[in-house]
Amino acid sequence: MSDEMYRRLMNIKNPELHKFIAWAIDLCKPDSVFINTGSSEDFDYIRKKAIEIGEEMPLKIPGHTVHFDSPYDQARAREDTAILLPGGQKLPFIRTKDRDEGLKEMYSLLDGVMKGREMLVGFYSLGPKGSPFSILAVQITDSYYVMHNENILYRAAYDEFVKQGERARFLRFLHSQGELNEMKQSKNIKQRRIYIDLPGETVYSVNTQYGGNSIGLKKLALRLTIKRAMEEGWLSEHMFLIGVEGPRGRVTYFTGAFPSYSGKTSTAMIGRLLGDDLAFLRNVNGEVKAVNPEVGVFGIIEGINPIDDPLIYEVLTRPNEIIFSNILITENGEVYWNGMGKPEPERGINYTGKWWKGKTDEKGNPVPPSHPNARFTVSLKAFKNLDPAYDDPNGVVVGGIIFGGRDPDTLVPVFESFNWEHGVVTIAASLESERTAAVIGKPGEREFNPMANLDFLSVDLGVYISNYLKFGEVLTRPPKIFGVNYFLRDEQGRFLNSKEDKRVWLQWMERRIHNELNAITTPIGYIPRYEDLRILFREVLNRDYGLEDYTKQFAIRTTKLLEKIDRIWKIYSEIPTIPKRFFDVLEEQKQRLLDARSKYGDVIPPQKFE
Ligand code: SPV
Ligand code: MN
């Protein structure tokens, strides 16, 4: 470490931090160490080195670069990720590993891994700086690409560490890409490991580069913040945070949880943007307030086109600091991604190297021009619809929480729970989503994904759900809980709604939060009245909304809904820590559905409940 870097580090008077960094240096044995203070010079240095070393390549448009992950390292590695627990403890639905064994394995993978490289150390704040919501974090990595992402996605907080000195409590992330091939891709994917050590609030990640596995502050931090949230009685969630503009300039804030590929980003973009992926929610004097721990977007690029996503498309095609990953570079040095609304190029360069139309992988499967999970990293500040409150240390008041999944045949397009408890049990904890071609598994199969947070749980699911229920009990003004489903289909498999309809659902939810509309009481909660939707469709989309469409979309499908309750019941009955009250709420819903079915039949038109 140079004298200058040593001075930077010693400026932070925190022996715990010094010990952690000294230990990491000792283990990883880098040639040199760079302390990133978050200054514009330091940011420039990281950007420049990412290109110089070849982790990123500059593109035609100023500020744009591309990074390619290994073909075997294109998504979150569920199978290589584990929560380390002492004594080999197990938890339902969570991959765990004996802590001693895991740490031993990790230390041997990290031993000397940074020889010949520079170790980068960055300081960040998850959440607005100096906010009661926020959590400090330190990232150590040997990847300029990883630190470049973090410089865009998180608030730099070296100054906050200096200010807090010994008091600073922080999460720790130690990452190495491991050995690289000639394309600068992690080579030893078989030794890819992501281990989460809860007692040490440390995550180790090695032999991987894909953002979801390597950018510590994103999904790796989520495991640690969920655990802190349980200890402190708040919610650390996989949710967007947006403001919805209601009548007379009113803005109502929503968070929303959706499993991948079920409409999260497109919903977030309709509103005023505060965050697209993560939210911290706290009880502040009986109301729920939320902040976004991030200040950037690491978004899926596939399918973004000027018609459906004009705001994002505009951001991605003008000069700005953007890191593209796993897209195709065309022969003209332009960026191409699947579904962008342009003809597919004949050839180019992608994550598999040289690419041409018809290229297949070693198993004979076609290689698409860009990977379905190709991404872009960009600052929130690039978005025209950014809400000015995005960095407010006090957070914004949450009026509604939305849970959405991909469901072909069961749930109505929008509905509201009777209360917090009913919403948590029957909507949030019962969230399922149909798998798509982009997620490994059989298309059409439903995947259980409570709160869209299952992949990131680091505590017992029963503890997590109990915390949700307790959190709501003491609120004086609990947010309303809504369910949405954009993917309902008819018998022929055609979607029953168009892509824009979600704009209307958001407005309906906004009015409900302010008690401006009545609703129909059904066995699953409140649903919209036809008359209200007819007016909103006219106002929002300038479109006629047919009674026939309404009747089909909002029919209560009792048998399908009862089957869903059975599936959910079975899952939770195997988790001993689920409170009894949870099953009472499910049982009540089941009774309401059975009563309705015996009175009105299997599929019940909404008007029957009026
Ligand atoms: C998601 O898939 O939910 C993401 C990207 O936000 S990842 O970082 O891989 O989780
Ligand atoms: Mn996400």
Side-chain angles (χ1 to χ4, degrees):
M1 197 183 293
S2 68
D3 289 350
E4 165 59 12
M5 294 303 152
Y6 185 74
R7 190 194 59 77
R8 289 178 178 190
L9 184 57
M10 287 304 140
N11 245 345
I12 304 172
K13 307 250 173 320
N14 187 308
E16 272 297 310
L17 174 75
H18 301 161
K19 242 195 283 174
F20 174 57
I21 293 173
W23 172 80
I25 293 171
D26 221 36
L27 179 62
C28 304
K29 305 178 182 60
D31 279 14
S32 61
V33 180
F34 181 79
I35 305 287
N36 173 6
T37 64
S39 68
S40 56
E41 292 77 25
D42 288 1
F43 277 20
D44 282 344
Y45 174 77
I46 299 291
R47 270 186 222 112
K48 223 181 68 212
K49 288 295 270 190
I51 290 172
E52 195 181 295
I53 295 237
E55 286 188 63
E56 293 176 33
M57 276 158 283
L59 295 163
K60 237 182 182 172
I61 300 180
H64 291 196
T65 57
V66 60
H67 163 86
F68 293 126
D69 297 307
S70 151
Y72 312 102
D73 192 27
Q74 292 282 327
R76 272 185 257 138
R78 282 177 173 168
E79 63 292 350
D80 297 328
T81 305
I83 309 280
L84 302 182
L85 292 177
Q89 278 173 60
K90 299 255 179 276
L91 289 173
F93 290 104
I94 303 177
R95 268 168 220 79
T96 57
K97 191 172 174 69
D98 177 70
R99 182 166 185 253
D100 292 338
E101 242 175 69
L103 289 177
K104 199 169 143 211
E105 182 189 7
M106 185 51 75
Y107 297 163
S108 87
L109 288 168
L110 289 172
D111 190 3
V113 78
M114 295 188 189
K115 274 184 195 155
R117 293 200 190 141
E118 183 159 61
M119 174 187 274
L120 312 172
V121 185
F123 305 87
Y124 303 94
S125 170
L126 287 164
K129 279 204 274 183
S131 156
F133 286 83
S134 298
I135 297 176
L136 295 177
V138 174
Q139 172 83 59
I140 300 179
T141 177
D142 57 8
S143 162
Y144 296 97
Y145 164 72
V146 166
M147 189 145 285
H148 186 191
N149 270 282
E150 285 181 331
N151 290 345
I152 296 174
L153 293 171
Y154 303 98
R155 293 146 173 112
Y158 174 80
D159 53 350
E160 196 62 34
F161 273 83
V162 172
K163 199 159 92 192
Q164 292 193 21
E166 215 173 347
R167 283 179 298 121
R169 186 181 166 202
F170 51 91
L171 311 180
R172 298 148 200 225
F173 304 96
L174 175 51
H175 165 256
S176 171
Q177 0 180 29
E179 260 184 89
L180 302 177
N181 67 15
E182 59 295 341
M183 278 184 78
K184 300 289 170 194
Q185 295 168 331
S186 294
K187 209 158 103 178
N188 302 322
I189 303 295
K190 287 212 173 78
Q191 272 83 49
R192 174 175 59 196
R193 297 289 181 273
I194 298 135
Y195 287 165
I196 295 126
D197 183 35
L198 300 175
E201 293 198 306
T202 306
V203 183
Y204 306 91
S205 156
V206 66
N207 292 316
T208 178
Q209 293 165 308
Y210 169 67
N213 302 324
S214 65
I215 303 169
L217 280 83
K218 199 167 194 44
K219 295 310 207 306
L220 310 187
L222 182 51
R223 274 73 166 217
L224 301 179
T225 55
I226 285 177
K227 175 170 158 277
R228 270 213 199 172
M230 294 309 108
E231 289 162 358
E232 299 169 0
W234 51 280
L235 306 179
S236 174
E237 297 301 304
H238 188 206
M239 289 176 175
F240 66 55
L241 176 59
I242 61 169
V244 171
E245 293 178 2
R248 299 171 297 278
R250 178 173 70 202
V251 180
T252 306
Y253 292 97
F254 287 81
T255 61
F258 296 67
S260 294
Y261 309 100
S262 52
K264 186 177 177 184
T265 306
S266 56
T267 309
M269 286 300 152
I270 296 174
R272 297 187 182 205
L273 188 62
L274 291 91
D276 80 313
D277 197 38
L278 299 170
F280 290 168
L281 290 78
R282 281 181 180 265
N283 173 345
V284 180
N285 303 323
E287 289 186 310
V288 174
K289 288 196 169 182
V291 301
N292 176 10
E294 308 187 287
V295 285
V297 175
F298 176 62
I300 296 180
I301 203 164
E302 178 147 311
I304 289 175
N305 65 70
I307 313 288
D308 298 321
D309 311 277
L311 286 171
I312 311 180
Y313 192 85
E314 193 271 330
V315 166
L316 296 181
T317 46
R318 78 169 130 85
N320 204 345
E321 182 172 12
I322 303 178
I323 312 171
F324 294 89
S325 60
N326 308 321
I327 49 79
L328 180 89
I329 314 175
T330 68
E331 286 179 296
N332 315 327
E334 279 163 6
V335 172
Y336 175 85
W337 62 86
N338 310 331
M340 76 186 293
K342 287 189 184 171
E344 193 177 293
E346 291 298 319
R347 53 184 61 77
I349 311 266
N350 77 359
Y351 60 97
T352 63
K354 272 200 181 129
W355 178 87
W356 57 93
K357 229 178 200 164
K359 184 172 185 180
T360 53
D361 65 16
E362 69 276 1
K363 286 187 191 136
N365 298 316
V367 176
S370 72
H371 192 276
N373 197 30
R375 302 235 165 203
F376 61 91
T377 306
V378 70
S379 165
L380 278 175
K381 287 190 193 131
F383 291 88
K384 285 187 191 140
N385 58 331
L386 181 65
D387 188 283
Y390 81 98
D391 202 26
D392 188 336
N394 298 314
V396 293
V397 176
V398 178
I401 303 182
I402 305 170
F403 294 92
R406 214 173 237 279
D407 168 18
D409 56 18
T410 305
L411 292 170
V412 297
V414 62
F415 59 112
E416 177 191 324
S417 71
F418 295 125
N419 53 47
W420 179 269
E421 180 187 67
H422 178 241
V424 168
V425 174
T426 67
I427 303 179
S430 300
L431 198 61
E432 297 174 301
S433 203
E434 195 185 10
R435 289 168 188 248
T436 65
V439 183
I440 301 151
K442 276 190 227 135
E445 200 179 294
R446 268 172 248 250
E447 197 173 42
F448 169 68
N449 195 348
M451 287 77 166
N453 221 356
L454 189 63
D455 267 2
F456 312 109
L457 280 193
S458 52
V459 298
D460 185 301
L461 182 55
V463 171
Y464 176 73
I465 300 227
S466 302
N467 181 61
Y468 244 91
L469 292 169
K470 271 188 241 145
F471 181 78
E473 266 168 30
V474 293
L475 295 170
T476 44
R477 293 180 52 199
K480 283 184 185 280
I481 295 182
F482 300 96
V484 297
N485 173 23
Y486 308 147
F487 300 92
L488 199 56
R489 296 165 187 247
D490 65 13
E491 294 72 27
Q492 283 75 45
R494 288 174 302 219
F495 287 112
L496 287 180
N497 291 98
S498 72
K499 280 189 181 171
E500 315 85 75
D501 293 1
K502 52 173 93 72
R503 292 178 181 274
V504 175
W505 313 150
L506 275 177
Q507 289 301 320
W508 182 77
M509 294 185 258
E510 202 275 343
R511 302 300 187 280
R512 286 290 299 167
I513 288 166
H514 299 282
N515 302 311
E516 290 176 359
L517 292 177
N518 285 322
I520 302 172
T521 306
T522 77
I524 61 165
Y526 304 114
I527 65 168
R529 298 183 307 182
Y530 171 66
E531 206 40 40
D532 296 328
L533 288 184
R534 201 181 59 80
I535 293 167
L536 285 176
F537 264 89
R538 177 55 64 197
E539 262 177 38
V540 177
L541 300 176
N542 196 21
R543 222 171 73 192
D544 275 332
Y545 183 56
L547 182 61
E548 226 176 279
D549 285 339
Y550 168 76
T551 307
K552 241 193 246 163
Q553 292 164 12
F554 286 91
I556 300 299
R557 297 158 179 81
T558 54
T559 302
K560 290 282 180 197
L561 286 160
L562 284 161
E563 283 168 11
K564 179 177 167 79
I565 293 181
D566 284 347
R567 286 194 298 273
I568 299 299
W569 190 295
K570 188 160 173 291
I571 292 169
Y572 283 103
S573 64
E574 281 159 26
I575 302 174
T577 46
I578 293 291
K580 183 185 168 293
R581 184 69 200 136
F582 185 94
F583 296 101
D584 294 343
V585 174
L586 279 184
E587 178 61 33
E588 286 158 20
Q589 179 126 319
K590 186 172 173 176
Q591 271 314 316
R592 284 190 299 269
L593 284 164
L594 286 170
D595 292 349
R597 186 168 69 181
S598 63
K599 213 159 142 194
Y600 303 116
D602 180 10
V603 177
I604 310 173
Q607 293 87 348
K608 290 277 187 228
F609 296 103
E610 260 187 293

